[in-house]
Amino acid sequence: MKILAVSDQVVERIYTLIPQGHFKGVEMVLGCGDLPYNYLEYFVSMLNVPMFYVPGNHDPVYNLMFANSYAEGGTNLDLKRARSKGLLLAGFGGCVRYRPDGVNQYTQTEAYFRAFHLMSCLFWNLLRYGRALDILITHSPPFGIHDEETQAHTGLKAINWILRWARPRYHFHGHTHFYRRNLVPSVTQLGPTTITNVFPYDLIEI
Ligand SMILES: [Zn+2]
């Protein structure tokens, strides 16, 4: 099954690649944050496949009353679980807090509370399907993996906690491409989980 993951940067080339059939066969689109919602909506309308996403720190706070705060036709997976095409998915939006007034930003402690909430939802997957999760999408990287020491790009420890507990097969995240794309690998294996730093898009066969 082919999955297209996108994050952090609009690729203008996409607008010619998709009509040319470049992404033919893609069965799901995953958005890892910091992308305009009309960009995500373009994938939905052109590929006509399920699209799941989480908000990044440059995205507006979700509010059903404001059309520009969510992507039409997609599912905001922040702290939610979903099941699609036999896969168990969950999401965790935002990144570490680096500005007091920033949106979709959390202290490490706040992130632990959010993770606890998500994991309590995933517990039902364990009971029902015998596994907690197949794919985790987040905006932030985990702590110590694909992150860096600057205040804005430190990973969230709560994501490591989710990975250790839920043991998904895949984790896709964004947020940290700007400085280290060429210095660190964009794919890391952690136990059963393949962690991919998505930038600006990745086609993955799973
Ligand atoms: Zn970001």
Side-chain angles (χ1 to χ4, degrees):
M1 175 176 169
K2 223 189 259 184
I3 291 180
L4 173 65
V6 293
S7 193
D8 287 90
Q9 192 176 79
V10 170
V11 181
E12 293 296 334
R13 207 167 67 249
I14 288 283
Y15 295 108
T16 48
L17 289 177
I18 287 185
Q20 286 170 359
H22 188 76
F23 296 104
K24 201 162 174 274
V26 165
E27 291 188 58
M28 185 182 292
V29 175
L30 302 175
C32 297
D34 282 356
L35 286 171
Y37 288 147
N38 58 12
Y39 183 67
L40 294 179
E41 288 163 357
Y42 179 76
F43 289 103
V44 176
S45 60
M46 294 299 284
L47 298 175
N48 197 24
V49 297
M51 191 272 284
F52 300 91
Y53 68 96
V54 289
N57 51 304
H58 296 296
D59 295 319
V61 173
Y62 173 73
N63 184 333
L64 195 57
M65 301 291 283
F66 299 109
N68 64 353
S69 74
Y70 59 90
E72 197 84 48
T75 303
N76 181 338
L77 213 51
D78 191 15
L79 297 196
K80 293 190 177 70
R81 67 188 172 119
R83 186 163 178 261
S84 180
K85 298 182 185 280
L87 294 168
L88 304 175
L89 301 121
F92 188 109
C95 71
V96 73
R97 179 165 294 288
Y98 61 92
R99 274 178 40 182
D101 58 342
V103 300
N104 298 320
Q105 296 178 16
Y106 308 99
T107 64
Q108 296 284 0
T109 305
E110 287 168 341
Y112 272 117
F113 279 103
R114 283 167 52 78
F116 182 76
H117 174 83
L118 181 63
M119 291 194 296
S120 62
C121 300
L122 298 182
F123 184 69
W124 296 107
N125 283 346
L126 258 186
L127 295 181
R128 179 146 186 212
Y129 304 108
R131 65 194 196 281
L133 191 60
D134 295 319
I135 299 178
L136 176 70
I137 61 170
T138 69
H139 181 59
S140 168
F143 182 80
I145 298 171
H146 305 160
D147 68 343
E148 63 171 34
E149 287 167 9
T150 61
Q151 198 181 358
H153 293 93
T154 302
L156 287 172
K157 295 174 184 175
I159 294 175
N160 303 58
W161 191 33
I162 298 170
L163 293 174
R164 272 199 309 273
W165 181 80
R167 302 173 63 82
R169 281 184 286 164
Y170 299 93
H171 171 212
F172 300 103
H173 72 84
H175 189 56
T176 47
H177 63 284
F178 300 103
Y179 307 110
R180 297 183 62 182
R181 173 67 175 171
N182 299 318
L183 301 179
V184 296
S186 60
V187 179
T188 296
Q189 190 70 31
L190 181 74
T193 309
T194 304
I195 304 173
T196 301
N197 186 356
V198 177
F199 174 74
Y201 70 86
D202 274 306
L203 258 183
I204 304 110
E205 186 84 45
I206 70 168

